[in-house]
Amino acid sequence: MIMDNYKLLLNGEWRDSERKLTVTNPADGEPFAEVATVDRAGVKQAISDAAAAFDSWKGTTAQSRGNYLRSIATELQSRADLMARLISLENGKPLAQAKGEVAMSIDHLLWFAEEGRRAYGRVVPPQAEGKRHLVIRQPVGVVGAIAPWNFPLVLAIRKIAPALAAGCTVILKPASATPLSACELARCIDAAGLPGGVFQLVVGSASEIGAEMLENPICRKISFTGSTEVGRSLIRGAADTCTELSLELGGNAPVIVFDDADLDQAVEGILITKFRNNGQSCIAANRIYIQDGIYDRLVAVLSEKINGLKVGDGLGDEVDIGPLIDERALSTALGFIDEAVAAGARVMAGGSRFGDKGNFLAPTLLTDVPEHVRCHQQEIFAPIAAIYRFESEEQVLKTANDTEFGLAAYAFTTDLNRAFRVAETLEAGTVGINDPVPPTSNCPFGGFKQSGWGRELGSEGIDAYLETKHISIAGIT
């Protein structure tokens, strides 16, 4: 089979390698592309080249850096259809959702193109005569960006755009399952004329690349999106060099639907936040709590809607649910269902593998789910909706917060007082009230508890890549 071959952008040059990474389409299990790789020595060289490029890049004006980001956005827009198709091919998500990911990526680039010019310092009144105090913001330095496979473009952009805007140089390591969108992004960056070494793309062993980023003191910061388990290992590994970390980790998002909710709005919201990206989202609905008064009606409508979702190749027409990322993900999801059913849960929709080819799971609705099973306690990361009944607001808020995670939470209500009470009580970095897709370029995103460290997006997003320096000047008369 003749497969597409992708090279890596290293220090301004496109480089191939003998050792390749094969990319497989999760819809049919067939390999369709190869990507060049680097070993640990190659990562070390990339870090050295990034450090050399940093000296001049940090001196570039924020306006000029913003112009580069706008040029990247323009290049990405010109390749939008190709990029969306690549995302769908390597990730499996429906094409319409892949197009949405591209659009959000462009918006992130444009946001941080302007935000770089607002990395303000301040003048502080002195407490001693003859002194002046300045506080300035300066770029951290070389940044290692490690992106996940579930949103392979937009979650890479959330790291690259603010780092470049701040004046940092960046080395991107995409997930091995989904490197093609990163390769195409590198082409956009190269076409935008970014100086060599300012952005580089590395693909290869996650353990080797991560170890070099952690242990090499030239790499001043790592930004990672992925599992809490890997996040903990990065924290341990960063201890020796005090490498700065930004971590967007796992979630276990509750969705609370109160009796006073708009039923149609709640149903549509659950379908979006649960089944977007085939359920493979850190902010996807994981535990869906429905109040007694509307429980039976809402479950009946949800069952009908979920049974009507179209499953198929993400490139197919009007597909709602694509394949899971790999066979292991499918096996894990089926295990969640089997365990819940064995413990007393009822299957109201789906519940089994879909078809005999590819990693497809029929979208599933489970009711009467016990709280001790894995799909209640762990991140499901599959199109499985687990439903729970509740009586009171006080009870459900206590249950919703009873988790080590705190990335996102949702509530549906038409009571404004309740909306504020619930939003302020839920222990999560992002709360959507009647809103199933709350993330936006101009607001911070990140988690409480074991869902991460720091924030991406908003004005806080660029703060993660800036150091704060105090300059004290004495002897002024």
Side-chain angles (χ1 to χ4, degrees), residues 117-127 131-138 463 466-473:
R117 297 199 287 179
R118 292 187 281 269
Y120 303 130
R122 65 186 190 274
V123 177
V124 180
Q127 298 194 89
K131 283 194 175 185
R132 299 293 185 271
H133 297 290
L134 307 177
V135 177
I136 65 172
R137 313 296 304 284
Q138 292 182 308
D463 287 344
L466 292 167
E467 294 280 21
T468 300
K469 178 183 287 185
H470 166 222
I471 301 172
S472 179
I473 305 171

Side-chain angles (χ1 to χ4, degrees), residues 10 153 158 195 258 277 315 329 345 395 407:
L10 294 167
L153 178 64
R158 285 187 187 182
F258 291 97
N277 199 37
L315 296 177
Q395 168 207 352
L407 189 58

Side-chain angles (χ1 to χ4, degrees), residues 4-21 34-50 52-53 171 179 182-183 186-187 190 195-204:
D4 293 334
N5 183 53
Y6 289 82
K7 298 178 182 179
L8 301 180
L9 183 60
L10 294 167
N11 201 25
E13 298 179 358
W14 290 99
R15 299 182 190 174
D16 208 345
S17 69
E18 292 185 5
R19 186 176 179 182
K20 307 286 187 181
L21 175 72
E34 291 182 333
V35 181
T37 63
V38 295
D39 57 14
R40 182 164 178 171
V43 180
K44 183 177 182 179
Q45 184 60 53
I47 292 173
S48 178
D49 292 334
I171 299 165
C183 292
R187 291 175 177 174
D190 188 43
V198 173
F199 170 85
Q200 297 176 88
L201 175 65
V202 296
V203 173

Side-chain angles (χ1 to χ4, degrees), residues 95 186 318 437:
L95 185 60
E318 299 181 349
V437 190

